[in-house]
Amino acid sequence: MSGVLRFAGLLNRVLHIGAGSGSDLAAYLEAGARSVVLVEADPERAAALERLAADRPEVRVVEAAVSGAPGTRPFHITSFPELNSFRAPAGLKDLFPGLRILSSAKMVATRPAELVRQMEFPTGEAGALLVVEAPGEGLGILQDLAEAGLLERFGHIVVREAARGLYDGAPAAEDLAGWLGSAGYAVAMEAAPEDPERPYLMARFDHSAALTGQLDAARDEIRKLQDELKAARDMSRYRMAQSREELLKAEGQILLLRDLLIDGSGV
């Protein structure tokens, strides 16, 4: 993935979920990253990452299976480690006939928001990069960060997700791209993916698009308030009209009662 990272420019901090063998670590450090967090669910690969980062104080390794959905559930470790996932690899068997599930031990899902809260983000710092290689979990991870108000800390995002449903219930890459666009990111698909079925999505926070989105949301809110005000005015007029009718009716009854009393007194 090193070539994909060129779009990100100078980096300050990196969070890589699903770091695998750590082959991108050198590229992160060459790009100037002062803090790198490598997250890996496979215990053997996490141990290898620990050895790789042993003499790198700016690199921290976290052994964790990350998902936007909390809870404990089976994590499928396969004969192709980069395809490991919380989701059952149903469609993958057609692409990789030799794929075998080595274990499906239950793991506690780590929320991505927990990982980000452990990272130090000085006020106003730009250049943070989020890399997500967690098959089937990309969209959930981004949504969890957005709900926690933490996604905006990453000016650049790289996500690898299946172009079509290779995992049970997993959204496709195009769904993820659409969501990122709605979140204010300019999104591009990897031009010539090594694996067309699992391309990288590259997203850069688009400040102008975000401001436009905020302006549109503000306009929608204003229109909503105007509609509510109009409805309140209409209801007020209706109630006033009703009150007039009731008042006129009461006056009529009083006049009728008076006339009856007058007529009765003259008998």
Side-chain angles (χ1 to χ4, degrees), residues 20-21 40-51 61 63 77-78 81 84 102 107:
S21 63
E40 177 55 43
D42 187 317
E44 293 185 3
R45 299 186 112 193
L49 288 174
E50 289 280 9
R51 293 191 292 272
V61 177
E63 182 183 328
I77 293 181
T78 73
N84 296 347
L102 304 180
M107 289 189 178

Side-chain angles (χ1 to χ4, degrees), residues 225-261:
L225 292 173
Q226 289 174 334
D227 291 341
E228 292 176 352
L229 180 60
K230 182 179 181 300
R233 286 174 177 170
D234 292 343
M235 179 58 70
S236 178
R237 293 191 185 101
Y238 172 74
R239 289 176 176 172
M240 288 179 65
Q242 276 191 322
S243 297
R244 289 193 188 99
E245 289 181 7
E246 292 174 358
L247 180 60
L248 290 173
K249 183 178 178 180
E251 288 177 349
Q253 291 174 343
I254 291 172
L255 291 174
L256 179 60
L257 181 61
R258 185 198 65 182
D259 292 342
L260 289 172
L261 291 172

Side-chain angles (χ1 to χ4, degrees), residues 69-116:
T72 301
R73 57 190 190 278
F75 186 83
H76 307 287
I77 293 181
T78 73
S79 50
F80 295 89
E82 66 274 13
L83 302 179
N84 296 347
S85 175
F86 272 118
R87 298 177 185 267
L92 282 174
K93 295 179 181 178
D94 296 331
L95 290 177
F96 303 95
L99 180 73
R100 292 180 297 112
I101 296 179
L102 304 180
S103 69
S104 295
K106 289 187 176 181
M107 289 189 178
V108 178
T110 296
R111 298 286 290 271
E114 295 177 14
L115 297 172
V116 176

Side-chain angles (χ1 to χ4, degrees), residues 52-239:
L52 183 66
D55 59 346
R56 296 285 189 179
E58 68 272 42
V59 180
R60 182 163 65 92
V61 177
V62 177
E63 182 183 328
V66 183
S67 172
T72 301
R73 57 190 190 278
F75 186 83
H76 307 287
I77 293 181
T78 73
S79 50
F80 295 89
E82 66 274 13
L83 302 179
N84 296 347
S85 175
F86 272 118
R87 298 177 185 267
L92 282 174
K93 295 179 181 178
D94 296 331
L95 290 177
F96 303 95
L99 180 73
R100 292 180 297 112
I101 296 179
L102 304 180
S103 69
S104 295
K106 289 187 176 181
M107 289 189 178
V108 178
T110 296
R111 298 286 290 271
E114 295 177 14
L115 297 172
V116 176
R117 290 191 181 104
Q118 295 173 17
M119 300 175 67
E120 296 180 2
F121 284 85
T123 303
E125 181 182 82
L129 169 68
L130 171 65
V131 180
V132 180
E133 296 189 82
E137 299 294 331
L139 183 56
I141 287 172
L142 297 179
Q143 289 175 333
D144 181 72
L145 292 176
E147 290 172 3
L150 299 173
L151 188 65
E152 61 191 26
R153 296 188 180 187
F154 298 96
H156 301 88
I157 297 174
V158 175
V159 187
R160 192 175 199 182
E161 195 59 273
R164 56 189 176 91
L166 299 180
Y167 295 85
D168 286 349
E174 60 182 15
D175 299 321
L176 198 151
W179 186 89
L180 276 168
S182 68
Y185 286 81
V187 186
M189 191 79 73
E190 184 182 6
E194 181 180 347
D195 183 354
E197 293 291 342
R198 299 186 305 121
Y200 284 103
L201 294 176
M202 298 165 287
R204 186 193 305 271
F205 189 71
D206 187 341
H207 292 278
S208 61
L211 290 174
T212 299
Q214 293 173 6
L215 180 60
D216 290 342
R219 286 171 175 166
D220 290 341
E221 186 64 24
I222 290 173
R223 281 192 289 268
K224 180 181 177 182
L225 292 173
Q226 289 174 334
D227 291 341
E228 292 176 352
L229 180 60
K230 182 179 181 300
R233 286 174 177 170
D234 292 343
M235 179 58 70
S236 178
R237 293 191 185 101
Y238 172 74
R239 289 176 176 172

